[in-house]
Amino acid sequence: MSILVNLVGLALIALIVWWFWLYRPQAAEAALGAVAITVDDGVYSPSRVRVKLNEPVTLRFLRKDPSPCAAMVIFDDLDISEELPVDRPKEISLKVDKPGTYAFTCQMKMYRGELVVES
Amino acid sequence: MKHRSHCHEPGHAANTDHGGTQKSIHLALTGASCGGCAGKIEKALQSVDGVESARFNLAERKAVVSGQVDAGALIQAVEAAGYGATEMTDEEPADSKLMQEASCHEAQTSSDPSPEASQESAVHLAVTGASCGGCVSKIEKALQGVDGVESARFNLAEREAVVNGEVDAGALIQAVEAAGYGASEMTDEEPSGSSMTQEAPCHEAKASSDPSLKASQESQESQESQESQESQESQESQESAVHLAVTGASCASCVSKIEKALKGVNGVDSARFNLADREAVVQGKVDAGALIQAVEAAGYGASEITDEEQASEDREKADEAYYRKLLREMTVALALGVPLMAYGVLGGEMNVVTTGERLVWLVVGLLTLAVMMFAGRHFYVGAWKSCKAHSANMDTLIALGTGTAWVYSMVVVVAPGIVPELARHVYFEATAMIIGLIDLGLALEVRARGRTSQAIKRLLGLRAKTARVIRDGKEQDIPIGAVQVDDIVRVRPGEKIAVDGVVTEGHTSIDESMLTGEPMPVEKDADDEVVGGTLNKSGSILYRATRVGKETALAQIIAMVKQAQNSRPPIGRLADTIASVFVPVVMIISVLAALGWYNFGPVPQVAYMLVTATTVLIIACPCALGLATPMSVMVGVGKAAEAGVLIRNGQALQQASKLNTMVLDKTGTITAGHPEVTEVITRNGFDESELLQLAASLEAGSEHPLAQAIVESAQERDLTLDSLEGFNAIAGHGVEGSVKGRALLFGNYKLMQDHNIDLGDLQAKAQELAAQARTPMYLAVDGQAGGIIAVADPIKEDSVAAIKRLQRLGLDVVMITGDNEATAKAVADKVGIKHYFAEVLPDDKQKKVAQLQDEGKLVGMTGDGINDAPALAQADVGFAIGTGTDVAIESADVTLMRGSLHGIADAIAISKATLRNIKQNLFGAFIYNILGIPFAAGVLYPFAGILLNPVIAGAAMAFSSVTVVTNANRLRLFKPREESK
């Protein structure tokens, strides 16, 4: 019994590690240069956006979560920070000229998304 | 030959005038990056034959020209003015969004064959993409790394690099490009107006928040997006008023048509259209997209007006609604939690033994479930959704903690048999209490956060709503958005200045304190600049609008402050990194704690497992960590803006707090920058006025600042100047000439000696004056000494006090000046500066700053933003002393909106206070979590027998982020200048 409980605990830890850190969700492609991202319930959906290198893309954020946590979207490495109005889309147009993965988050890093720039 | 390089920009969609009788041509412009360009371009366009009107919109880089004219001629005119232009046609895709390049900067390079260029081995490169101080050293380093290069210098102002050595241009260009910039060789043959399209972004974080760069992320609240946004979003609606700008409406009958069309949209309560300002206001539960469609269907064009102030009001409304919702939820949760907890505390039986107890607790359990559904719904939904998306946040922790407590308690109630007898305890009160407390914490946080953006709100509130414009000889009040460049605006006493402009008529005094922090009203006459948002105090004036809309100083200040408020200083990085992995780590700790209690804990293990696991989950607070830095930056940057100090970004804020050396440029920074006559000493029977009158007549034609000071002084005394004959400037000595037949010599000691003038005691007087930081000049009339006129650039009244403040803040203040040693020493002594650099050529200021940096000092440099730009860029933090209007255009790290040096001290004091505040917040958040989590896990139990109650953990967690926000708000009370007065 005690071994079983310990094993379950360890399995739980392994699950947490895999689920939250190792797993990478599918990225949404930017069709026609625009992606709509909904900001609600603690997640950006889609939370992974794939865009082409040097191609202009518009991210259209629609914030539905009124809590102040969701109020801002920040692309730290791109030096973008924008306030998101509730229930009204906000467009952020950008063009990235260096391939890589750029995180976008809320101020507190609880909302997390990734912009994958590929050549 | 002037040559400009332009960034290439795709064109912008052309808006064709429907049914317009006048031919209008739309041009997409490149290379324009500042307010000054707009005027130049419009002037160039207006000078083309047949043009009736020409307007250039800097934000859209688009010019609209009407008249009988051909596009080719217009493009030529624009190119002659040094910009690029292409015609925009209807075929261009309507949705092509303007995407300014991050590197889009006006790169102006001079390819004059300068003496240096004629050296066989010097290569001149035009570099693009460099926009900040950091770029300079990067580029120079890159160039110096090329084989054969002897020296490489890059001039940021001209975007030109000069490389000496045996080297080939191709290799240099490669090196620059490898460093991330664009480069091309500058040769004399290069045709003027040829445009280069290399672009390279400046990756320097410092640069990218430059306002002109801000265009790189042109973001806007979209109007058309709602139509294109499929499915769920199209249902979105809001209860506030929607403002629409309607185009194409020209007659009274349009009004009813448009209003009818709007009222036909579902959910519209009322719709009003105002023909004069072409604005429709729609009330009701309705979304802008549908309204725009309706207006378009009626044959007009419409777009939503998303005014910043409106947006900020909307945000406040949303916050308020959210606040009230949280309070309701809290009330419900505590209504159940408090009595339950009181029952437990007062010794009530929380263990489930009898069937009767089981039934009662079952009811309580179901009530708790109802509370969870009502008051804690957002935690559970959020936790589930984010978990599905493989991310975890605060919701996850709260949902897991409270959920586990509830599930365990229900198991005890429903199937007590599977739980050891001693552990048959219910924790419903914990679930309800925690939800209630966290809702309360969130509500308080929403409130406190609203206050952090007060500075922006104050700035937004400065804007006037309407302007009284004179058009066609008639005065009319129009909305501020409709004011155009070159409109004549009337302002009466007590009214706000609507947009930036130049006074054309009248005299008044204007209170500019809201922008510059300078309490004294400023006198304004014709040709003086006025700034939108400031307050006209005494007189009525007419002025010509020079900058409107987003171009106004106020709009740029707001944009800059907002941008800076949202940027983060490096000090926050660690907290950010931790916050991003925090939640899963806490979950793991929680499992480990449970396992620890299972393996080593006392009986009943399962109850201890539950309590510790739950408490760990509840007490951990990633929010406090994440909020620590941004909240303080927000308040600190806002506070600085209130004092008339614009801090560009979080990095500049942090750097400014660490400076230990401050270099001050003398002229215009310590001194006023306008030399004045300070003393007139007469000899041999001349009187002061006579002497001044003669000297002024002699100097009237000269543009030298010292000569101007003398002429001005004569004018102040109402002296009439006489005509001058035989003027001759003797380089390095002075001038000679004759006025009314009297031979005059005016200059230094050497000049007098050469002409054998007997100076008597004047020479001693002159030395005395020089020691007092004056520049003495002798005047001889007909071979006889007339006297001395001494000129000095007066030290600003408050420079001494401000320098003392800087020294008290721990900075070594260093003065830098082109003056000679004696004058420099005199000025330095007067203002209490120990170290100074005298006789520094303008180009060498940067080197002096670098020299101090090489000594290991963190150097701030204060100067005017234009001439001292390279030195400002070289410094760790560049402080540009502004004059109030062009502030936002300059690219220094810190910009002062008024001339006083107190601004520098304010900036340093505020940055120090902000950094202190951030450190307190970070320390608090770290300590809270570092101590709280082990405590919750029960590490104290073996030693002291203490175990934390999950409800207490909930309260601690709820108030930890409130504490952070409140502490940040404390900064608002900080007074940078307590000590100065």
Side-chain angles (χ1 to χ4, degrees), chain B residues 496-508:
Chain B
K496 269 183 197 163
I497 307 289
V499 297
D500 296 356
V502 177
V503 177
T504 55
E505 222 183 290
H507 168 89
T508 187

Side-chain angles (χ1 to χ4, degrees), chain B residues 812-891:
Chain B
D812 177 21
V813 181
V814 178
M815 185 179 82
I816 196 164
T817 175
D819 286 348
N820 62 50
E821 181 73 27
T823 314
K825 183 169 181 344
V827 174
D829 285 346
K830 227 173 164 180
V831 297
I833 291 178
K834 284 196 199 84
H835 305 117
Y836 59 89
F837 294 114
E839 291 168 59
V840 179
L841 298 174
D843 292 346
D844 289 341
K845 287 182 187 166
Q846 184 186 355
K847 279 186 203 149
K848 293 288 178 195
V849 172
Q851 184 188 322
L852 288 169
Q853 285 171 324
D854 288 344
E855 291 168 18
K857 291 177 174 152
L858 266 170
V859 183
M861 164 81 200
T862 308
D864 83 75
I866 300 148
N867 297 318
D868 299 330
L872 294 189
Q874 173 72 44
D876 295 290
V877 183
F879 295 77
I881 272 207
T883 52
T885 48
D886 280 336
V887 284
I889 296 162
E890 290 165 8
S891 57

